[in-house]
Amino acid sequence: MEAFNQKLFLWINASADAPLWLIDSARFLAEWPLIIAALLALLTLPMHPKHAPLIMLRVGCTLVLALTVAYLFRYNMEHARPFVMGLGRTLTEHAATSSFPSIHMTLVLATGFPLFFMAITRATGAMILFMSALVAWARIYLGVHFPFDMLGALVVSLLSALIVQRLPLEKLIPARFSS
């Protein structure tokens, strides 16, 4: 599997003749969707004031659970980044920390999935999930992650969102917000 992961990485990673506009676009997409996802999630709150506490709880709990699991993987299952292994081209600065799963991708997905699972915020969730695909491409293209790092973030975030979705969080919301 690791050989396939590396081969797929080399196929996506920027070539030596990559145009500057594409590299700059990848740099933007590697970072800014995290902020955009957070802003989109926050903008749903005034649009749905009756459901705002539940939205905040679901997104917040999913983020906490997904990040906890992601960091547990990182600290217990060291996986070198491509540039540490001498693979491909690295076109952005990054520490030589463990790469699996991608924390950037986990943050975006753990924001998008709970919104997607709620009918009233599904469109916003879908936009964030679409942005997550751009984040995945960009971080691989720039040489700081492997494709399986993104897949790991997807699985961790999806399972976290599904677990949180099943929790009776509505019971934690004071009555004045639920009517």
Side-chain angles (χ1 to χ4, degrees), residues 91-107:
L91 300 170
T92 192
E93 296 283 324
H94 204 290
T97 56
S98 181
S99 70
F100 182 87
S102 166
I103 297 300
H104 280 81
M105 187 71 158
T106 300
L107 285 166

Side-chain angles (χ1 to χ4, degrees), residues 73-167:
F73 270 110
R74 279 189 163 211
Y75 290 119
N76 293 299
M77 197 179 90
E78 182 74 25
H79 190 271
R81 291 182 182 274
F83 59 86
V84 172
M85 297 176 160
L87 287 176
R89 294 181 65 208
T90 307
L91 300 170
T92 192
E93 296 283 324
H94 204 290
T97 56
S98 181
S99 70
F100 182 87
S102 166
I103 297 300
H104 280 81
M105 187 71 158
T106 300
L107 285 166
V108 175
L109 289 167
T111 302
F113 278 129
L115 294 173
F116 184 75
F117 291 155
M118 295 179 71
I120 60 170
T121 56
R122 185 158 292 134
T124 303
M127 285 189 290
I128 293 170
L129 294 176
F130 173 76
M131 284 191 312
S132 74
L134 300 174
V135 171
W137 167 80
R139 298 193 68 77
I140 298 165
Y141 187 80
L142 295 173
V144 295
H145 275 290
F146 285 104
F148 284 11
D149 300 339
M150 301 304 161
L151 182 60
L154 176 83
V155 171
V156 166
S157 299
L158 177 59
L159 291 177
S160 296
L162 289 171
I163 289 167
V164 169
Q165 183 72 13
R166 294 193 171 277
L167 296 176

Side-chain angles (χ1 to χ4, degrees), residues 6-47:
Q6 291 178 11
K7 188 176 225 176
L8 192 54
F9 164 79
L10 290 170
W11 182 70
I12 299 170
N13 184 232
S15 65
D17 60 347
L20 185 58
W21 68 266
L22 192 55
I23 294 168
D24 288 341
S25 297
R27 286 182 178 141
F28 175 84
L29 292 170
E31 299 293 337
W32 280 95
L34 276 76
I35 295 164
I36 295 167
L39 290 173
L40 286 172
L42 288 172
L43 287 173
T44 65
L45 302 178
M47 293 169 51

